[in-house]
Amino acid sequence: MSNYVIGVIGGDGIGPEVVAEGLKVLDAAGVGMDTVPYDLGGARYLRDGTVLPDEVLAEWRGMDALYLGAVGTPDVPPGVIERGLLLRMRFELNLYVNRRPFRAPDGSHDFEVIRENTEGTYAGEGGFLRKHTPAEVATQGSVNTRFGVERCVRYAFELARNRPGRHLTLVHKTNVLTFAGDLWQRTFSEVAREYPEVATAYNHVDAACIYFVENPKSYDVIVTDNLFGDILTDLGGAVSGGIGLAASANLNPDRTGPSMFEPVHGSAPDIVGTGRANPTAAILSAAMMVEFLGETEAARRILAACADPTTQTGTTTQIGDAIAKRV
């Protein structure tokens, strides 16, 4: 195995705890790593106002991958860390695909959500008029480009083509969001002609929320925009065993820089140090990281260990130890 240079951002709350278990499992799997720790997140911001220095971003560009635990603390105003760290990472490093796999608790079915990660309502278009007055107006636009939509849709078709189900569902709200939805629908239909072996479907996002709960087996791969993907993937985590099992990858499929891997859950400051944080999501994210780096056998063994029910009881470190031993 190669010796990969991995930037590690433990972050806030339980982030450092679960990341430590992920690194432990990677070591047990024989993945050669040189890890570079970074002190970033809500606690760092409260200490000295740092969010994401330009020099750190420059260092990251030369690394193989980034591994993040969780960031955010209640004392930091909303949007400071999310936009200044997480979204800036996605935009600056061109992490335009957010990939989140889900598995039913009984292991009978799995599906994946591909979320466009750099556009939509998270692009930051909008503003205020007459702020802090009774006549205040706030607008928040959704930015969708043919380029951005197509590269995400194409990634989803490639993924679907290589899965046994060979099925891809577009999720949007085309009956109301008639401009953004039209662009997504037309792009999806046009790219679909290049993949005749992939069956396709469309669901409104509200209907998809129902199907996630009542019939998740109807899905194989889903592709959707930034906001809808954010909401659906949290729901996916809830219906597939809990947010503590939900992993994610923020991918630069063109490999012009590092991709970033993180569990979906938050920093959970209320359970820091209690041993109650399940590290499985962080460990599964680590498996996605090494798979993306080409270490497919190590990733396969980590996934198998996480799926073993005997590894899923105990404290944070006990679960990590059990998975590392099973690997």
Side-chain angles (χ1 to χ4, degrees):
M1 290 186 178
S2 302
N3 221 45
Y4 301 102
V5 179
I6 309 296
V8 178
I9 309 103
D12 300 307
I14 62 170
E17 299 176 21
V18 297
V19 160
E21 300 309 309
L23 294 175
K24 176 196 297 180
V25 171
L26 290 178
D27 184 63
V31 179
M33 299 176 296
D34 292 322
T35 58
V36 183
Y38 291 92
D39 177 16
L40 297 170
R44 174 70 184 275
Y45 174 78
L46 291 173
R47 191 165 67 246
D48 62 16
T50 298
V51 180
L52 176 55
D54 291 342
E55 57 270 24
V56 169
L57 193 59
E59 288 178 16
W60 286 350
R61 296 185 192 278
M63 294 183 173
D64 294 301
L66 301 172
Y67 185 37
L68 185 146
V71 291
T73 61
D75 296 328
V76 177
V80 172
I81 301 302
E82 294 86 350
R83 188 159 291 280
L85 177 58
L86 297 177
L87 292 187
R88 189 178 180 208
M89 290 171 73
R90 295 174 188 174
F91 298 155
E92 295 278 356
L93 299 175
N94 205 22
L95 308 178
Y96 64 85
V97 163
N98 183 275
R99 179 176 177 180
R100 297 188 181 183
F102 300 100
R103 178 177 290 272
D106 61 1
S108 63
H109 179 71
D110 67 275
F111 63 97
E112 301 205 35
V113 177
I114 301 301
R115 163 190 171 191
E116 200 290 316
N117 215 26
T118 60
E119 297 188 346
T121 51
Y122 290 13
E125 191 275 331
F128 292 99
L129 294 173
R130 300 182 292 275
K131 191 174 183 180
H132 302 306
T133 75
E136 180 172 350
V137 177
T139 63
Q140 192 81 55
S142 179
V143 177
N144 300 266
T145 68
R146 171 63 190 234
F147 172 77
V149 172
E150 182 172 340
R151 65 182 181 175
C152 180
V153 166
R154 193 171 295 279
Y155 180 92
F157 269 104
E158 287 289 337
L159 177 63
R161 179 167 68 177
N162 290 292
R163 285 172 55 90
R166 292 189 175 183
H167 190 279
L168 178 62
T169 303
L170 170 64
V171 172
H172 210 281
K173 190 68 174 172
T174 56
N175 60 334
V176 176
L177 303 178
T178 54
F179 303 124
D182 182 71
L183 174 58
W184 274 86
Q185 184 69 74
R186 282 187 290 109
T187 304
F188 183 83
S189 298
E190 290 168 18
V191 175
R193 299 187 191 112
E194 302 176 34
Y195 296 87
E197 69 275 34
V198 177
T200 62
Y202 170 80
N203 289 160
H204 290 324
V205 64
D206 43 350
C209 289
I210 296 172
Y211 303 148
F212 262 50
V213 175
E214 294 185 347
N215 188 26
K217 292 183 179 181
S218 65
Y219 292 118
D220 182 26
V221 180
I222 294 163
V223 64
T224 189
D225 82 347
N226 209 335
L227 177 60
F228 295 150
D230 194 1
I231 296 166
L232 281 176
T233 51
D234 279 2
L235 178 59
V239 302
S240 61
I243 208 75
L245 303 177
S248 77
N250 296 269
L251 300 178
N252 176 339
D254 305 326
R255 300 179 189 265
T256 57
S259 294
M260 186 269 279
F261 302 82
E262 60 173 334
V264 173
H265 61 67
S267 59
D270 56 319
I271 60 170
V272 174
T274 65
R276 291 167 52 199
N278 188 333
T280 303
I283 295 169
L284 289 170
S285 299
M288 295 181 76
M289 178 171 69
V290 296
E291 181 182 41
F292 189 75
L293 293 173
E295 305 295 346
T296 54
E297 177 56 25
R300 184 197 64 77
R301 287 188 282 123
I302 295 170
L303 292 174
C306 290
D308 186 339
T310 65
T311 67
Q312 291 299 308
T313 56
T315 65
T316 305
T317 55
Q318 287 171 341
I319 292 174
D321 288 342
I323 293 173
K325 183 178 179 180
R326 175 73 169 75
V327 166

